Amino acid sequence: QNWTRGMSYCLHSESHLDTGPIYVRENGKLHMVNQGAGGIQNGTPKTRPFRLFSRGFSVELCMNREDDRARRQRTDHFIFTYTKEGNLRYSAKSLFSLVLGYISDNVDHIDSLIGFPEQIAEKLFSAAEARQKFTEPVTGLRALQKFTEAYGSLVLCSLCLRNRYLVISEKLEEIKSFRELTCLDLSCCKLGDEHELLEHLTKEALSSVKRLLLKDNSLSDAGLRRMTAPVRVLKKGLENLLVLDLSCNPKITDVGIGYLLSFKKLNCLDISGTGLKDVNAVIKRIQMRIGLVHSKVPLKEFDHSNCKTEGWAEQTVLQWEQAVMEAIKPQDDVRSRTAALRFYGKTPRIEEVVKCKLVDAETKASGNLQFYKEKVQNCHLPLKKEVAGSHELRNNKKRALPEQEKERTSKQKHLCLTVEDWDLLNTY
């Protein structure tokens, strides 16, 4: 009895808290403690309304969009298919695919991929490519650099940007991140001598380029001088170049051709459509110094069909091109309107500039100026060789040997160590 009174007193002292009814079991019977009187009620306990929250408490129902996103992502964990009867059937994805999807969503946060297995890295690149992670302006570049640093030519070994100047201007940093390219086609892009991408060609990252197509790019002797400076002085840069196309660049003269003589490994050369003054002298000079023979028939190495975009990032380059084409779609509508106005004579007609001139007036004047090396038979189409011409070429080579040695000893210092060349190299 005293124990029950003490509990009643304790509850009475904290009566400001609405704890609800309290039951005590004593001598096999259940009793309810009355907080107001401090006694114990026997028999069946009376029901008392119990409040979980105080009066005035309200609950507001809100729809959270983040929960919807999380709920949608949860459906990605399953693969939905249909049975033969037409019933919906789903199965859970593997843990590998779930982890691969999570990493591809956060691919820009990867620190390094050096030493990571190539098979899994290719799947990771494809997963990120499907999510268009490499098209994002900042995070895409960071993620692409991690792959190119670790895998080089596997990401991209050949890149064709023919007539895609807009892609070059929009994704220049991404293009510069590619390493160990063996083939690069920049034809019909009108880059000029001062473009940043042409300066990037002289870097060590592109020393692996063996085929370079620079047709119709508004190049001059100054551009060739910059492009060949590392090879002429430091023996670096495009030293492994085998095929070079410089056709349809009328600003290149006889002086610019002299800079090309530093490419000792060159097997095929196209200088059709350039501004040469003495064509015969240039042909003899190329034959003496590099050992290339003037071809009478167009070579298959310059038909622009062998250079294609190849590598993991092939679809990425297509995504860049599609994004650029979608950005210029409104301009097509404007062109259609202007065409209608021209039809009705409301606006003067302006001739549109052709993007890539495959046949130039100067090309017809100079003719086909393509060269190949006789030892390399896979470089050109089968040609009819005259016996007399081969004998003359061998005699010219024998006569040119002592002359070449004299020129190397007397002019090597002056050609390779000029002040202009050193000033140019200091800019890299």
Side-chain angles (χ1 to χ4, degrees):
Q1 187 72 19
N2 294 332
W3 177 76
T4 56
R5 289 181 180 179
M7 180 177 288
S8 176
Y9 176 76
C10 180
L11 292 172
H12 181 71
S13 63
E14 297 179 356
S15 61
H16 61 280
L17 297 175
D18 188 7
T19 58
I22 298 176
Y23 300 94
V24 178
R25 187 177 184 85
E26 185 178 4
N27 297 327
K29 294 182 179 180
L30 187 64
H31 306 278
M32 184 179 65
V33 179
N34 189 0
Q35 297 181 7
I40 300 176
Q41 294 181 358
N42 297 327
T44 305
K46 295 181 179 180
T47 59
R48 182 181 177 183
F50 175 71
R51 291 183 178 273
L52 182 62
F53 302 99
S54 60
R55 293 182 179 180
F57 182 82
S58 61
V59 179
E60 183 180 358
L61 182 62
C62 300
M63 298 298 295
N64 192 356
R65 295 181 179 178
E66 294 182 357
D67 295 340
D68 295 340
R69 293 177 182 177
R71 193 176 295 107
R72 291 174 184 175
Q73 292 178 359
R74 289 173 188 172
T75 59
D76 295 339
H77 296 174
F78 302 97
I79 302 174
F80 295 93
T81 56
Y82 288 93
T83 60
K84 295 180 179 180
E85 294 78 9
N87 299 326
L88 184 63
R89 179 179 61 187
Y90 65 91
S91 57
K93 291 184 179 180
S94 62
L95 180 60
F96 176 78
S97 60
L98 295 177
V99 173
L100 194 67
Y102 177 79
I103 298 177
S104 60
D105 289 333
N106 302 275
V107 68
D108 56 306
H109 297 289
I110 297 176
D111 293 333
S112 178
L113 288 170
I114 298 176
F116 198 68
E118 298 175 357
Q119 293 81 2
I120 303 178
E122 184 178 2
K123 295 181 180 180
L124 179 61
F125 189 93
S126 300
E129 190 178 52
R131 290 167 170 78
Q132 296 186 353
K133 289 294 181 178
F134 301 113
T135 58
E136 299 176 0
V138 179
T139 59
L141 174 61
R142 189 186 305 117
L144 189 62
Q145 288 176 348
K146 299 300 180 183
F147 281 95
T148 54
E149 289 175 359
Y151 305 103
S153 60
L154 293 177
V155 178
L156 208 66
C157 62
S158 178
L159 178 60
C160 179
L161 296 174
R162 182 171 59 252
N163 201 10
R164 291 175 175 85
Y165 178 76
L166 294 177
V167 178
I168 295 175
S169 61
E170 292 293 330
K171 299 294 180 180
L172 179 60
E173 296 299 327
E174 285 81 355
I175 294 172
K176 291 169 59 177
S177 65
F178 292 123
R179 299 186 176 187
E180 299 181 8
L181 289 173
T182 57
C183 180
L184 181 59
D185 190 354
L186 300 175
S187 303
C188 308
C189 290
K190 302 291 185 181
L191 298 179
D193 296 330
E194 303 294 333
H195 200 274
E196 188 176 354
L197 184 57
L198 292 179
E199 182 181 354
H200 181 66
L201 291 176
T202 60
K203 304 296 182 181
E204 294 183 0
L206 293 181
S207 61
S208 59
V209 174
K210 296 181 179 180
R211 186 174 182 182
L212 181 61
L213 306 179
L214 295 174
K215 181 179 183 178
D216 193 11
N217 270 285
S218 302
L219 297 177
S220 64
D221 297 339
L224 294 184
R225 179 173 170 269
R226 290 187 176 186
M227 191 173 63
T228 59
V231 180
R232 290 185 288 111
V233 179
L234 300 177
K235 305 301 179 183
K236 295 181 180 180
L238 298 172
E239 58 180 351
N240 297 318
L241 197 62
L242 299 179
V243 180
L244 178 61
D245 185 3
L246 294 173
S247 59
C248 299
N249 290 294
K251 294 182 181 180
I252 297 178
T253 62
D254 303 11
V255 179
I257 301 301
Y259 298 128
L260 302 179
L261 302 178
S262 58
F263 296 132
K264 301 300 181 181
K265 298 181 181 180
L266 202 62
N267 291 331
C268 296
L269 175 64
D270 188 0
I271 54 175
S272 305
T274 54
L276 301 180
K277 297 180 180 179
D278 193 350
V279 178
N280 294 327
V282 171
I283 293 175
K284 292 181 180 179
R285 192 178 182 185
I286 293 175
Q287 290 178 355
M288 297 293 183
R289 299 291 298 274
I290 311 180
L292 298 181
V293 182
H294 182 217
S295 176
K296 303 297 181 181
V297 182
L299 304 178
K300 67 178 182 180
E301 289 293 327
F302 302 108
D303 60 358
H304 296 267
S305 62
N306 296 326
C307 186
K308 299 178 181 179
T309 303
E310 297 178 357
W312 297 352
E314 180 179 355
Q315 296 297 325
T316 302
V317 178
L318 292 178
Q319 290 176 0
W320 295 345
E321 186 177 0
Q322 291 176 0
V324 172
M325 295 302 294
E326 291 178 358
I328 63 176
K329 276 184 178 179
Q331 296 182 3
D332 296 337
D333 298 337
V334 175
R335 289 180 182 177
S336 62
R337 294 177 183 176
T338 55
L341 294 176
R342 289 173 186 172
F343 177 77
Y344 291 105
K346 296 182 180 181
T347 57
R349 181 178 295 274
I350 301 175
E351 295 182 359
E352 297 180 355
V353 180
V354 181
K355 294 182 179 180
C356 182
K357 298 180 180 180
L358 297 179
V359 179
D360 198 6
E362 298 185 1
T363 307
K364 295 180 180 179
S366 60
N368 182 25
L369 292 178
Q370 295 181 354
F371 300 85
Y372 69 96
K373 187 170 290 187
E374 284 186 327
K375 295 180 180 179
V376 182
Q377 298 180 359
N378 295 327
C379 176
H380 54 84
L381 290 173
L383 303 176
K384 295 181 180 180
K385 301 180 182 179
E386 297 179 357
V387 178
S390 62
H391 285 298
E392 291 179 359
L393 181 60
R394 291 175 183 175
N395 294 330
N396 292 332
K397 287 183 178 180
K398 292 179 180 180
R399 294 173 184 175
L401 288 176
E403 294 179 359
Q404 288 180 2
E405 293 178 357
K406 292 180 181 180
E407 289 180 358
R408 288 176 183 175
T409 55
S410 61
K411 296 183 179 181
Q412 186 175 6
K413 296 182 180 180
H414 299 285
L415 290 175
C416 297
L417 299 176
T418 58
V419 178
E420 296 179 354
D421 290 335
W422 284 115
D423 294 338
L424 180 61
L425 290 171
N426 289 331
T427 59
Y428 293 101

